[in-house]
Amino acid sequence: MKILLMGPPGCGKGTQAERLVKELGLTHLATGDLLRTEVAKGSEIGNKASEIMKSGALVPDELIIQILRARLEAGGVEEGIILDGFPRTVEQAHALDHLMAERDGGIDKAFLIDVDDAELISRISGRFSCASCGAGYHDRFKKPRTEGVCDACGATEFVRRPDDNPQTVAERLKVYHKQTAPIADFYEKKGILVRVDGEKSIDDVYVDIRSAV
Ligand code: AP5
């Protein structure tokens, strides 16, 4: 099974992927996370990507395709994958077709999680995650069960992303509408696009995605 989760920043791609991984045992491949790992390592790729990510722009197609190809070749993806945040341009969508053709077949479903811009800004500004295991939370919508303690691993330190400030979020939304939204057509034409109302609760969005998988 190969699933794409698409949609604007803050629509819930990572949140839904976390749940699908737990239930279906698929491997979660989030290009934003792969980039943040490179930035944290201080690698050449990470150094190139860091300033671009802080600005809210997309990193160049050839760079992100190279990272994804390397991750697929590293293995551990035999049970299936959930791609989160890739593709983000028409060029990346074509590259993904080639990458999948080299393996065993194409994408089964492409979910587009739709959310209004004003709601996205509110979601992103309240988001934080566990500094130890990365579990995601929100000031209003998804608080840890015990304040200040991660539900998943018990750690007590949390972090917020440097690109979650209002200026960068505005740019990320602009980039999404211009460069990424058009790829919905690409998957619609293939007959595998599923539109999901991302303004429902986290549980209800999950039910909609799960029932279409
Ligand atoms: P990336 O890390 O992919 O960020 P993004 O697409 O902007 O998406 P987010 O991770 O911000 O949001 P999400 O949809 O996962 O939402 P979440 O589940 O966290 O990319 C970062 C940067 O890397 C890009 O700007 C670019 O520079 C670069 N990059 C990455 N991939 C690239 C590519 N392919 N090509 C080029 N550049 C690339 O939810 C958000 C919050 O809302 C959470 O707090 C959550 O608890 C809450 N929430 C979720 N669902 C709901 C709900 N239904 N109701 C209420 N609250 C909810």
Side-chain angles (χ1 to χ4, degrees):
M1 168 79 56
K2 299 185 189 73
I3 297 173
L4 299 187
L5 293 181
M6 306 187 300
C11 70
K13 302 181 292 294
T15 303
Q16 298 299 330
E18 236 178 70
R19 291 190 169 198
L20 288 163
V21 163
K22 274 192 200 139
E23 196 184 338
L24 303 176
L26 306 175
T27 300
H28 181 197
L29 301 181
T31 43
D33 290 345
L34 294 175
L35 286 167
R36 281 184 285 279
T37 302
E38 294 299 323
V39 172
K41 281 198 287 196
S43 70
E44 197 185 331
I45 286 180
N47 291 340
K48 273 189 204 160
S50 172
E51 288 310 308
I52 300 173
M53 292 170 79
K54 273 188 210 150
S55 76
L58 297 181
V59 306
D61 288 333
E62 58 279 11
L63 190 67
I64 198 74
I65 292 163
Q66 181 192 333
I67 291 175
L68 183 65
R69 177 185 284 279
R71 176 60 193 86
L72 289 169
E73 284 169 359
V77 294
E78 296 72 21
E79 298 302 313
I81 53 174
I82 301 176
L83 274 170
D84 158 0
F86 186 98
R88 265 175 148 101
T89 63
V90 174
E91 288 73 15
Q92 291 180 21
H94 286 293
L96 182 61
D97 272 359
H98 289 301
L99 282 173
M100 292 296 116
E102 289 167 11
R103 308 177 76 81
D104 56 350
I107 299 298
D108 298 290
K109 294 265 183 230
F111 290 95
L112 177 62
I113 308 176
D114 252 330
V115 178
D116 179 75
D117 282 6
E119 168 70 12
L120 293 169
I121 290 164
S122 135
R123 284 190 193 177
I124 294 177
S125 56
R127 171 170 60 182
F128 62 98
S129 62
C130 172
S132 175
C133 74
Y137 297 98
H138 193 278
D139 290 327
R140 284 190 295 135
F141 310 120
K142 193 184 167 205
K143 294 180 182 178
R145 283 191 294 272
T146 305
E147 198 184 329
V149 181
C150 175
D151 296 345
C153 74
T156 53
E157 257 190 66
F158 295 89
V159 286
R160 290 181 193 258
R161 275 172 40 178
D163 59 345
D164 277 355
N165 63 78
Q167 212 180 352
T168 310
V169 171
E171 182 61 21
R172 283 161 64 197
L173 284 171
K174 211 164 87 186
V175 166
Y176 171 78
H177 290 298
K178 190 166 174 212
Q179 292 180 263
T180 306
I183 62 173
D185 276 356
F186 183 88
Y187 291 104
E188 187 123 60
K189 284 185 188 135
K190 285 179 181 281
I192 58 168
L193 185 76
V194 181
R195 289 178 193 273
V196 177
D197 177 0
E199 303 221 3
K200 293 182 179 177
S201 71
I202 293 175
D203 288 344
D204 288 344
V205 174
Y206 185 70
V207 168
D208 289 349
I209 293 178
R210 187 64 190 85
S211 63
V213 166

